[in-house]
Amino acid sequence: MRLLGKSILITGAGGGIGAATARLAAHEGAGHVFLADIDEKLAAQATEEVRDLGVVATALHLDVVQEADWIAAVAEVESTGAGLDILVNNAGLSGGTAIDPYDSAHWHVLMDTNAAGTFLGMHHAMAAMRRTGRGGSVVNVASVSGLIGQDYVHLGYSASKGAVRMLSKAGAVRHGPEGIRVNSVYPGVLPPMRSAITTRGSEAREAAVRGIPLRRQGEVEEVARAIVFLASDEASYITGAELVVDGGWTAM
């Protein structure tokens, strides 16, 4: 029961890592799970799965690039009276959204969603955490693409995930005195994201899997376990850390 009684807001919770984290949070005793997604139908479906586990859960519409959406989402969380203890900044776009790695339009979309969306989440969620007076925990989902160079994803993906890395470190330093921890998780090769187009089933992807020391792709539940650990009080003296969940890929 590592999240016993805690209020947790997860973005991109309609599927993948976000939905897996929401389910695990329920198993770990979270008091209220808020599942936010730009796709309201997926958010509603994932929320029902969490409720079936016997936990209070609420679906929220949230486009992470829209500051007004963040303000509304945090206000709804606070309206329950529980306050906000944990933010999981998981929403993001895949690096396989464009054929041309220098497509300038996709550069802006990737940077807005992955980097600016994380920044806005930290900004508004941390304000809510300060209002509780009990600190909090932020876990930002980056990618191994933010640590190493790759030749089959859009350059904006690597840049945006590198930005998430430094946002996390800067946030940890700035907000540590307030009792708010900020850590980041770096998934490796997982089942393709909803937004993946060019990398889904590609030869580069298959070659990447063959090169992983554990010789398989990861599962979203394995990333969710890392997120919940960092979010929990078990990681009470961990902030500014980078937890890589990649089967050993970046160890080579």
Side-chain angles (χ1 to χ4, degrees), residues 6-7 19 28 35 41 59 67 82-83 100 135 147 159 183 213 228 231 233 240:
K6 294 187 181 292
S7 173
E28 293 290 346
L35 296 89
K41 182 177 180 180
E67 189 160 16
D100 180 359
L147 299 174
N183 293 292
V228 167
D233 290 340

Side-chain angles (χ1 to χ4, degrees), residues 140-230:
N140 294 325
V141 179
S143 166
V144 292
S145 298
L147 299 174
I148 59 174
Q150 296 167 313
D151 62 0
Y152 60 92
V153 297
H154 192 287
L155 273 71
Y157 184 69
S158 297
S160 65
K161 292 302 187 178
V164 171
R165 177 177 184 248
M166 292 312 301
L167 278 169
S168 304
K169 288 183 175 296
V173 173
R174 179 173 293 272
H175 298 284
E178 300 168 337
I180 299 174
R181 298 182 298 105
V182 187
N183 293 292
S184 48
V185 171
Y186 297 79
V189 180
L190 301 177
M193 296 170 63
R194 281 180 267 167
S195 56
I197 299 174
T198 62
T199 54
R200 186 184 298 271
S202 69
E203 291 183 8
R205 178 185 174 82
E206 296 306 315
V209 173
R210 290 194 297 271
I212 296 171
L214 290 184
R215 295 295 189 271
R216 65 173 177 85
Q217 70 176 11
E219 300 298 334
V220 293
E221 290 78 11
E222 292 173 306
V223 181
R225 292 181 200 125
I227 292 170
V228 167
F229 164 68
L230 288 174

Side-chain angles (χ1 to χ4, degrees), residues 60-62 66-79:
L60 300 174
H61 169 77
L62 176 60
Q66 301 297 326
E67 189 160 16
D69 280 15
W70 273 109
I71 293 170
V74 170
E76 185 161 351
V77 171
E78 292 187 304
S79 72

Side-chain angles (χ1 to χ4, degrees), residues 37 50 74 119 145 149 214 236:
D37 204 287
V50 172
V74 170
F119 166 78
S145 298
L214 290 184
S236 59

Side-chain angles (χ1 to χ4, degrees), residues 38-165:
I38 193 171
D39 188 320
E40 295 182 41
K41 182 177 180 180
L42 289 177
Q45 291 172 347
T47 299
E48 285 303 315
E49 293 178 2
V50 172
R51 287 175 180 159
D52 288 343
L53 297 172
V55 172
V56 178
T58 301
L60 300 174
H61 169 77
L62 176 60
D63 179 350
V64 295
V65 306
Q66 301 297 326
E67 189 160 16
D69 280 15
W70 273 109
I71 293 170
V74 170
E76 185 161 351
V77 171
E78 292 187 304
S79 72
T80 66
L84 181 61
D85 298 301
I86 301 165
L87 168 67
V88 179
N89 266 320
N90 166 70
L93 290 177
S94 165
T97 58
I99 295 174
D100 180 359
Y102 283 99
D103 184 301
S104 59
H106 275 79
W107 165 271
H108 292 292
V109 171
L110 286 163
M111 292 301 291
D112 283 348
T113 303
N114 296 349
T118 298
F119 166 78
L120 289 172
M122 290 171 61
H123 171 39
H124 293 286
M126 285 175 168
M129 291 174 185
R130 286 195 296 271
R131 287 191 286 270
T132 69
R134 57 179 183 254
S137 175
V138 176
V139 181
N140 294 325
V141 179
S143 166
V144 292
S145 298
L147 299 174
I148 59 174
Q150 296 167 313
D151 62 0
Y152 60 92
V153 297
H154 192 287
L155 273 71
Y157 184 69
S158 297
S160 65
K161 292 302 187 178
V164 171
R165 177 177 184 248

